[in-house]
Amino acid sequence: MLITNDQEPVTTIAEPPRRIVGLRPNQLSVYHHPARFRVVVAGRRFGKSQLALVEMLRAAATPNSRIWYVGPSYDQAKRILWDRLKAITRPHWAGKPSETELTVRMNTGSQISLRGTDRPDSIRGNGLDFAVMDEYASMHPSAWSKVLRPALSDRLGRALFLGTPQGSNHFYDLYKKALADPQWGTFQFTTSQGGNVPPEELASAAIDLDPESFRQEFEAAFTSAAMNRVYYGFDPVSNVQAVQYDPYIPLVWSLDFNINPMCMLLMQRSDDTVYVLDEIIIKPDANTELACQAFHKRARALNPNRMQVEIYGDASGNQRRTSSVNTDWTIIKNFLGQFPTLYHPTFHLPKANPAVRDRINCVNTRLRNTAGDARLFVDPKCRELIKDLEQVSWALDANDRPSSNIDKSDGDRTHSSDALGYYVSEAFPMRGSVGPNASGRIV
Ligand SMILES: Nc1ncnc2c1ncn2[C@@H]1O[C@H](COP(=O)(O)OP(=O)(O)O)[C@@H](O)[C@H]1O
Ligand SMILES: [Mg+2]
């Protein structure tokens, strides 16, 4: 029989053995489900990765088992789980874990290894007894069918899929198929059903996020609005209006470095509201010098006096550019430095760009929060930005499902909205207070 979230959490199971006492009731209902293949669709911080750890520990108790934890990328798998895996397995080690192979050898002869689908060779092999696929919605869809499923065949290995919905992509397909197949166990849990995030923190996250994002990220819903349009929070009626420059507050200059086109936005911020005053598009042969001159001209037209300029933008390299990011930022610094009586610049660059999905969530949240309020206004003359917000969409996969990659087939699209995202995600990062060990950001 399938256990779904329509039923009460399992409360009748006997007191579990000591080492799984740490799982909460809904995690336990997955843990005790006998199906060979199980799918858990759950909100952020439900406790999916924690469940993965305890499941792997149990599998390792069977002598000479081979167990894999697979994430979308090797680096992500390492970041999410390696320290936690070592901590939970330490009493059972046969020797020191291998830091190069991300493998723990246990005194039962079993091995637990971390893998990433971005390194297809690392997930080839056979003789697997148990595979956990974490953040499955962000993985390449063929990793399971082409590589991992066959690896489980010879030893009739088990598999556990964990993830938070991401539109109606391959994770949705897998979940739907599993629902119809009595051989599979299926579960759907909200973040709150995990018991790790207090209700008041969840409530404040709800106010901070747009409704679609909240339903997807915290209520584990396969939302339809999130399906194809990237900036689904955008509504021309509420988000487009004439914006006035205010000489008493800093001017924000955000850049997406490209050769064709280079896009820059001039913005201002008042409390938690963003005003996009103007956009500057340079094509077909942009460079950072030209960008500086164009900025200078517009900035002078706005305000002939000395102004404070906050600079934001792309923090990482990009194959469509010729120079390095550091060179670009140095050119800008030197350019503005020539006019100490006109500009007081400050640079606001993250060490690395945020994940694309987080950047987009931040923009959607500014466009419309759960209460329905717009906190981002775009002047009608920003034509390319408005087109981006209306048209940028997710690329479709082989089954015509939205993938987790943005459709870049139209070379004019995505650049203005990228410039907007660099600013918004840095100035208004996702709320960081959710969850017991939360630090800085929600993810
Ligand atoms: N059963 C549990 N008991 C105590 N803390 C837990 C439990 N499950 C998860 N947590 C904690 O809750 C937080 C979120 O868990 P995690 O497994 O990372 O969630 P997810 O992978 O669903 O985002 C982590 O800090 C984790 O240590
Ligand atoms: Mg996790």
Side-chain angles (χ1 to χ4, degrees), residues 22-24 27 42-51 80 84 134-135 194 196 435-438:
L23 290 185
R24 300 188 201 277
Q27 289 169 319
R44 291 189 187 206
R45 302 189 75 78
F46 164 79
K48 302 180 293 297
S49 301
Q50 183 69 23
L51 172 66
I80 296 179
R84 284 162 77 177
D134 200 359
E135 302 294 352
N196 295 311
N437 305 328

Side-chain angles (χ1 to χ4, degrees), residues 11-208:
T11 51
T12 52
I13 34 177
E15 182 64 9
R18 258 205 157 283
R19 64 187 162 77
I20 60 163
V21 162
L23 290 185
R24 300 188 201 277
N26 284 322
Q27 289 169 319
L28 277 172
S29 65
V30 180
Y31 185 90
H32 286 293
H33 195 282
R36 182 175 168 208
F37 300 124
R38 291 164 296 159
V39 187
V40 180
V41 179
R44 291 189 187 206
R45 302 189 75 78
F46 164 79
K48 302 180 293 297
S49 301
Q50 183 69 23
L51 172 66
L53 281 170
V54 179
E55 289 262 358
M56 293 194 291
L57 193 61
R58 170 174 67 177
T62 304
N64 304 317
S65 297
R66 282 186 63 210
I67 298 151
W68 280 4
Y69 170 92
V70 185
S73 78
Y74 182 84
D75 290 344
Q76 191 177 342
K78 182 174 179 184
R79 201 174 61 240
I80 296 179
L81 225 73
W82 184 231
D83 288 342
R84 284 162 77 177
L85 178 67
K86 285 189 288 189
I88 199 172
T89 54
R90 189 178 295 270
H92 315 281
W93 284 353
K96 262 187 90 108
S98 163
E99 297 286 334
T100 48
E101 291 167 33
L102 297 187
T103 295
V104 175
R105 292 186 175 76
M106 311 280 281
N107 55 20
T108 52
S110 296
Q111 289 185 14
I112 305 177
S113 307
L114 305 192
R115 295 284 186 263
T117 52
D118 60 333
R119 299 189 185 177
D121 287 341
S122 82
I123 54 169
R124 287 192 201 288
N126 49 29
L128 268 192
D129 295 283
F130 184 43
V132 179
M133 271 133 302
D134 200 359
E135 302 294 352
Y136 184 69
S138 304
M139 269 182 207
H140 198 279
S142 64
W144 162 245
S145 54
K146 298 224 166 78
V147 188
L148 291 160
R149 176 68 187 83
L152 292 165
S153 291
D154 48 343
R155 297 213 209 176
L156 291 181
R158 302 181 78 201
L160 175 64
F161 295 82
L162 305 168
T164 301
Q166 211 167 311
S168 304
N169 71 1
H170 59 276
F171 189 32
Y172 178 61
D173 290 340
L174 180 92
Y175 180 66
K176 255 191 343 195
K177 236 160 90 187
L179 279 174
D181 186 341
Q183 310 273 347
W184 286 59
T186 53
F187 305 84
Q188 195 166 17
F189 297 117
T190 64
T191 297
S192 127
Q193 287 173 311
N196 295 311
V197 181
E200 60 277 12
E201 290 189 2
L202 220 44
S204 61
I207 291 170
D208 223 35

